[in-house]
Amino acid sequence: QVRLVESGGGLVQAGGSLRLSCAASGSDFSRSIMAWYRRSPGKQRELVAAMSSGKSTNYGDSVKGRFTISIDNAKNTVSLQMNSLKPEDTAVYYCNAVIGWDSYWGQGTQVTVSS
């Protein structure tokens, strides 16, 4: 059974940094697409960052140049380094894995950026 567990969320001041981690288990993730999404109150879920098995990346426009996604295949961990955080980055951040035709989600971790 695929399981994704996020950690690293919290409260940070604007301009600060946080690093989110997602521990993945229950499958072979070496050929999967791993991604981070977020949902803010009253807004649609949006893509933050994604990385393919070939290590190509895609970032949401609002986080380009500030956030970096990385994957440690040996540890089955996907991380999101978030720098220069803004209050508008406040959201629940979700880890996502696409394996073949199936999509899996973690439970989410709250990130709150104070002004």
Side-chain angles (χ1 to χ4, degrees):
Q1 181 178 358
V2 174
R3 188 171 183 230
L4 304 174
V5 180
E6 302 98 334
S7 61
L11 173 64
V12 64
Q13 288 189 331
S17 298
L18 278 177
R19 186 176 181 87
L20 305 183
S21 293
C22 173
S25 61
S27 184
D28 178 7
F29 295 91
S30 62
R31 296 181 182 271
S32 66
I33 298 172
M34 303 298 295
W36 288 94
Y37 286 79
R38 69 186 182 188
R39 177 175 282 162
S40 304
K43 294 186 178 181
Q44 299 261 6
R45 183 175 61 199
E46 63 173 337
L47 174 69
V48 177
M51 180 177 280
S52 70
S53 58
K55 303 298 184 184
S56 63
T57 57
N58 185 32
Y59 291 93
D61 288 340
S62 62
V63 307
K64 285 179 181 176
R66 299 188 297 123
F67 291 10
T68 303
I69 188 171
S70 61
I71 293 176
D72 185 334
N73 288 116
K75 296 181 179 179
N76 275 352
T77 299
V78 56
S79 298
L80 184 69
Q81 178 66 43
M82 306 186 294
N83 298 328
S84 303
L85 283 161
K86 304 175 181 179
E88 50 264 43
D89 294 319
T90 295
V92 178
Y93 285 71
Y94 298 91
C95 180
N96 172 257
V98 175
I99 306 172
W101 295 104
D102 297 316
S103 181
Y104 303 91
W105 295 91
Q107 81 288 351
T109 186
Q110 176 71 46
V111 171
T112 303
V113 184
S114 63
S115 57

